[in-house]
């Protein structure tokens, strides 16, 4: 398979970030170094990867103690790896309408109608690698 140009790599990464009803693997570390890896539905707001999860999840505990995460999108032979940091954790009850609506539209699921409490985690990419 031929190498892709930087423009093609960027387009492929954005396609994965903007995919509807897609998942991202989130790897986070606890203060003691225990690694946690979980797939969750994600959205892309143009500058940040957004996930929604329960406020009591291990992911939330890890990223509030250690802001860095590694995200992975796609298949193993066509993967986008993103080193990111937690920019903000927004409780569902305090989420701006644009954030909640944007998440629901792209994710194909609306945490506001689930009956449980959720928190939106907004991750800011620091390094993006695109392989194939």
């Amino acid at each position: 398979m031929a190498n892709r140009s930087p423009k093609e790599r960027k387009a492929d990464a954005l396609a994965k970030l903007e995919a509807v009803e897609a998942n991202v693997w989130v790897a986070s570390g606890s203060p003691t170094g225990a690694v946690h890896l979980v797939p969750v539905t994600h959205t892309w707001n143009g500058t940040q990867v957004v996930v929604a999860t329960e406020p009591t999840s291990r992911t939330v505990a890890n990223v509030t103690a250690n802001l860095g995460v590694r995200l992975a999108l796609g298949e193993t032979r066509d993967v986008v790896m993103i080193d990111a940091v937690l920019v903000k954790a927004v409780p569902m009850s305090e989420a701006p309408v644009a954030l909640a609506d944007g998440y629901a539209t792209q994710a194909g699921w609306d945490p506001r109608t689930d009956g449980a409490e959720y928190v939106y985690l907004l991750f800011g990419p620091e390094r993006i690698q695109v392989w194939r």
Side-chain angles (χ1 to χ4, degrees), residues 11-83:
D12 289 347
L14 285 172
K16 284 182 177 44
L17 286 165
E18 296 170 347
V20 174
E21 297 182 23
N23 289 335
V24 62
W25 286 93
V26 178
S28 61
S30 75
T32 62
V35 177
H36 180 64
L37 178 66
V38 63
V40 294
T41 303
H42 80 279
T43 63
W44 174 248
N45 68 12
T47 59
Q48 299 163 331
V49 177
V50 181
V51 302
T53 189
E54 295 89 359
T56 58
S57 73
R58 187 175 304 171
T59 299
V60 171
N62 287 351
V63 301
T64 53
N66 177 7
L67 303 179
V69 295
R70 176 161 282 177
L71 309 172
L73 300 116
E75 303 300 321
T76 56
R77 293 186 182 260
D78 187 11
V79 65
V80 174
M81 300 289 293
I82 302 171
D83 292 329

Side-chain angles (χ1 to χ4, degrees), residues 84-130:
V85 295
L86 179 67
V87 174
K88 185 184 272 190
V90 182
M92 182 178 65
S93 61
E94 299 172 19
V97 172
L99 172 64
D101 285 351
Y103 184 88
T105 298
Q106 186 180 346
W109 168 68
D110 191 341
R112 297 170 294 184
T113 63
D114 192 76
E117 194 60 36
Y118 288 89
V119 61
Y120 295 98
L121 302 176
L122 287 71
F123 295 109
E126 293 193 327
R127 182 174 90 157
I128 300 175
Q129 297 172 296
V130 184

